[in-house]
Amino acid sequence: MTPPTPPGLYRHPTRSEIIDLAAAEGHDADIPTNMGSIHQVPSHTSASPRNVQKDTPTAIEKDIEKTAGSGTGSISTTSTAAIADEEDAEPEPDPDPNIIDFDGPDDPENPLNWPATKKWGMVSLISAITFLTPLASSQFAPGVPQVMRDFDSTSDLLEGFMVSVYVLGFAFGPLIIAPLSEMYGRLPLYHSCNFLFIVFTVAAAVASSMGQFVVFRFLMGCFGGAPMVLGGGTIADLIPREQRGTAMAVWMMGPTVGPCVGPIIGGFLTVAKGWRWNFWFVAIVAGAFFLASLVLMSETSAIIILQRKVNRLRTSTGNKNLVSKLDTGLTPSQLFTYSIVRPAKMLFQSTICFAISLYIAVTYSYLYILFTTFTAVFTSQYHWHGGITGLSFLGLGIGSLIGQFTYIRYGNQVVHRHIRAGDFRPEHRLYMMCIGGFFIPMGLFVYGWSVHFQTHFMVPMVATGVIGFGLLMTFMPATTYLVDVFTVHAASAMAASTVLRSLAAAFIPLSSQTMYARLGYGWGNSMLGFIATLLVPIPFLFIRYGQGIRARSRVKL
């Protein structure tokens, strides 16, 4: 717990606060942000070099550094000695007058000091947009048979791909959006991506061929991923760390629950208006959010706000040596490297990053296998028709919601207990993942054979709820574990995981119809369950050997 700041004094952020904020903002912590950088920022003037001041690490932070190999034990670019030198460095006594920062902790230009109505209005709007865009990934799933008839297609491959191609956009769009937001700020990216999302949603609604439809769906995903890339950072810009939990929990519901709620709406809308109205519905709601964002949203990136302040002062004073405290000095090519090259290296050179990302990717692909087959399964096995087919997604959504709240409650309890005991290490995040891993194969076995034998529809519905519960109980602790292990480079680790899971969710479900046709629903889902069972030991192995693996692993970035 960070001690309160005495009135009138500015408390420099601790290393852990900078790392947490960088992870939320979607970049690595060696890039300066609105809390600064964990490394010395290079001087841009002829003045003496400047250091980023930091508090002395707390006992807990020291313990985490000691037990986790400085948190970045698998990254050779940030050694334990270097971090210790930085933390022990004396703060610079005479700050460079050419370096521009906020005017103390109460500066009204700082987004943390904006009026509460303005801040929470933006948080509410961003959370709503973040709920809508993942919802659009699966909303039209109950209308897939209609799409196939309208475009005269009988390809099982296209039947699954038209749903999952949206997620393929999630793999590529954020790699470009993230570095652009570092250069131009969050607001231009929000507005441009929201506008283009609406444009391509309308294009999908009026598509006249399967090829056009698939391309427009992919572009919807590319630009629809913007709020998931930028939303966490915006919330971190606006809401103090002590009050951020509620906002982050609401924002996180978008990508976890949105895809499960969408088909319930889409099932009834498809019957009432046809499959194209699923896209008109999304476009109308997104258009309303876009207009609201033009009125309510302002730039929250401290990098951009300070740079604007620098530009004003340069004009008024004529001093061309003025520079923002958060000026990174990174070129566009360097930002590109951070966004693309570094995650790829971490994925293929780090045992922990690869294994955890593989687990997430396989289980995430199961979610989209269910999305692309629920309509066919419940139509053929239970003779559901019309809008009621959308209700087949209800169990998955409820299970996911329960899994999210269970992890938030009990996962945090486990971690806090070890922090109080002074023996916390990142592997303690994985205890909940060990539990969740068993629910996925269990749910798949029950779901497959209950559908095969056409038991009462509530049995497969409950089974899909168990699957949803297991998915969230593995996905959330695995993601948090990556943040704790890679600390400084957490954003790159999460980017690597995001790309791999999006690719898996886009391509693995393409074979789902063929799999069920050849193996049946019982053995088909059992095969998925057997694969999920093979993955169950991963968190157990990392709990036992993770610390040693981190100590031996080296990734040259």
Side-chain angles (χ1 to χ4, degrees), residues 450-464:
S450 62
V451 167
H452 177 81
F453 290 111
Q454 296 183 333
T455 61
H456 191 276
F457 70 85
M458 281 302 297
V459 178
M461 290 276 282
V462 171
T464 57

Side-chain angles (χ1 to χ4, degrees), residues 514-530:
T514 303
M515 176 187 69
Y516 287 142
R518 293 184 178 180
L519 299 178
Y521 294 118
W523 284 112
N525 285 288
S526 293
M527 184 183 71
L528 299 180
F530 291 140

